[in-house]
Amino acid sequence: MFEFYLDTTDLQQLARFNKSIPLKGITTNPSILAKSGVGLKDTLINCSKILGPETRFHVQTVSKTTQEIINEAEELNALPYDIVVKVPTTEIGLAAIKELKNKRITVLATAIYSVQQGFLAALCGADYLAPYVNRIDAMGVSGINVVGDIQLLLKQHDLTSKLLPASFKNTQQVMDTLKLGVEAITLPIDIADQLISHPAVQPAVKQFENDWETTFGDKLSFES
Ligand code: G3P
């Protein structure tokens, strides 16, 4: 089943979107947590209260060596939440991912800017791969093509990693990514907002209301 995440810890927005979008959980990174000013423990408590106990949290390690990443991942994995440990796809990160898979810890390889990074992370056993679509676009390379090429390699080599693309700045990028058939996605709030609020919808609804009230006043449909 498709997994829909929001790339935020904004509680008000999570409460809002949880009503209209079937959310699997949230993705975070050190920048998102630092910007919120709320540490991981309180973030997990607060977000769980809103999204429920089944929520999946993608939480990034901040350690700087392979062994420290492994230790940090084990601590995260021991927390009483459904946590996927995000590891940056660097050389030391790939080494950590390999070890973490031996320990059966669920891992997302993050900060993927190239096809080769995605392929290597998948070979190391990452459960999820997060290519950064807009950041790749901003470097003059097609983020969608990077996602598509990783997907092709996963298929060709029978690799089971799920693509969970991140970093979007417009809905076209989102739709082009979804059309590839990725199994998961994470969106920032402003893009989720644009996805569910097409500017033509409210005028159309208003027109229906006006036409109805002109003929039937304040009656409801079944009363007419
Ligand atoms: O977690 C990575 C993702 O949040 C990157 O998004 O918008 O900072 O490029 P952005």
Side-chain angles (χ1 to χ4, degrees):
M1 174 139 176
F2 184 77
E3 297 180 19
F4 202 126
Y5 296 91
L6 290 177
D7 203 20
T8 186
T9 58
D10 182 325
L11 299 178
Q12 212 178 343
Q13 294 295 347
L14 288 175
R16 172 193 168 200
F17 282 106
N18 193 40
K19 291 179 189 150
S20 49
I21 294 177
L23 295 177
K24 176 75 177 168
I26 63 166
T27 53
T28 71
N29 62 38
S31 305
I32 289 172
L33 289 177
K35 199 169 164 197
S36 77
V38 181
L40 180 65
K41 288 178 200 154
D42 282 341
T43 296
L44 292 170
I45 293 169
N46 297 339
C47 293
S48 288
K49 275 186 197 153
I50 289 170
L51 300 176
E54 304 297 311
T55 305
R56 178 162 290 180
F57 295 96
H58 290 254
V59 180
Q60 192 164 327
T61 55
V62 295
S63 297
K64 296 185 176 69
T65 68
T66 297
Q67 191 53 54
E68 285 167 359
I69 292 172
I70 293 166
N71 297 345
E72 188 178 350
E74 285 180 317
E75 294 287 339
L76 288 173
N77 188 54
L79 294 174
Y81 298 93
D82 178 0
I83 288 184
V84 177
V85 179
K86 291 177 73 176
V87 178
T89 315
T90 57
E91 185 174 347
I92 62 163
L94 286 169
I97 291 169
K98 261 181 82 175
E99 279 302 311
L100 291 171
K101 287 327 295 172
N102 288 335
K103 293 174 185 286
R104 302 190 187 284
I105 290 178
T106 309
V107 177
L108 176 145
T110 193
I112 292 179
Y113 285 81
S114 69
V115 179
Q116 47 272 41
Q117 263 181 299
F119 183 54
L120 289 173
L123 286 177
C124 286
D127 300 276
Y128 293 90
L129 308 174
Y132 284 1
V133 175
N134 184 68
R135 292 197 197 187
I136 298 170
D137 281 352
M139 297 172 85
V141 181
S142 164
I144 304 301
N145 286 352
V146 169
V147 176
D149 286 348
I150 295 173
Q151 187 182 45
L152 184 68
L153 287 175
L154 293 179
K155 194 164 177 224
Q156 283 174 336
H157 295 273
D158 238 351
L159 295 164
T160 54
S161 311
K162 286 184 184 177
L163 276 160
L164 192 164
S167 180
F168 294 97
K169 285 292 168 281
N170 60 64
T171 54
Q172 191 61 50
Q173 291 169 329
V174 176
M175 296 320 296
D176 288 345
T177 300
L178 289 176
K179 279 192 277 184
L180 291 171
V182 296
E183 293 168 279
I185 201 164
T186 186
L187 300 183
I189 291 302
D190 58 333
I191 301 303
D193 205 6
Q194 288 176 35
L195 273 194
I196 64 169
S197 54
H198 191 286
V201 175
Q202 272 314 320
V205 171
K206 190 71 196 149
Q207 181 70 52
F208 291 137
E209 284 173 6
N210 291 346
D211 291 346
W212 178 264
E213 284 161 15
T214 300
T215 301
F216 298 110
D218 60 2
K219 283 184 176 158
L220 295 177
S221 55
F222 60 89
E223 295 170 331
S224 66

